[in-house]
Amino acid sequence: MLRSLKEILGYHLKALDGDIGKCKDFIFDSRKWVIRYMLADTGKWLPGRQVLISPVALGQPQWSERAFPIGLKKNKIES
């Protein structure tokens, strides 16, 4: 089933050891037609910061829960 990336915006991001914030945007390579990074708004966890997450670390979206699993721990995302 095809879905729009816009549907994922605002999904809760779940690292291996807890929530890290929400999906804010995607950075797209228009030459190769691939997603390069997901932009995560870290909210209360790291106030005022946004981080880029490689698509390699992204799991399958949990559509019914409006959540997106991230295959990294918080300390790795922070650094």
Side-chain angles (χ1 to χ4, degrees), residues 34-76:
V34 295
I35 294 171
R36 290 295 179 198
Y37 296 100
M38 172 198 282
L39 180 63
D41 182 350
T42 59
K44 294 178 184 176
W45 175 54
L46 296 172
R49 282 192 57 195
Q50 296 177 357
V51 295
L52 296 174
I53 299 175
S54 170
V56 174
L58 304 177
Q60 291 292 322
Q62 299 168 345
W63 304 109
S64 61
E65 298 173 25
R66 295 189 47 81
F68 210 139
I70 308 295
L72 300 169
K73 291 190 175 188
K74 286 181 167 185
N75 64 347
K76 181 71 173 174

Side-chain angles (χ1 to χ4, degrees), residues 24-42:
K24 183 166 183 172
D25 207 351
F26 290 90
I27 296 177
F28 183 76
D29 183 337
S30 61
R31 289 187 201 152
K32 296 187 179 185
W33 288 84
V34 295
I35 294 171
R36 290 295 179 198
Y37 296 100
M38 172 198 282
L39 180 63
D41 182 350
T42 59

Side-chain angles (χ1 to χ4, degrees), residues 13-25:
L13 302 176
K14 296 182 175 185
L16 296 174
D17 54 352
D19 291 342
I20 63 163
K22 293 185 179 185
C23 175
K24 183 166 183 172
D25 207 351

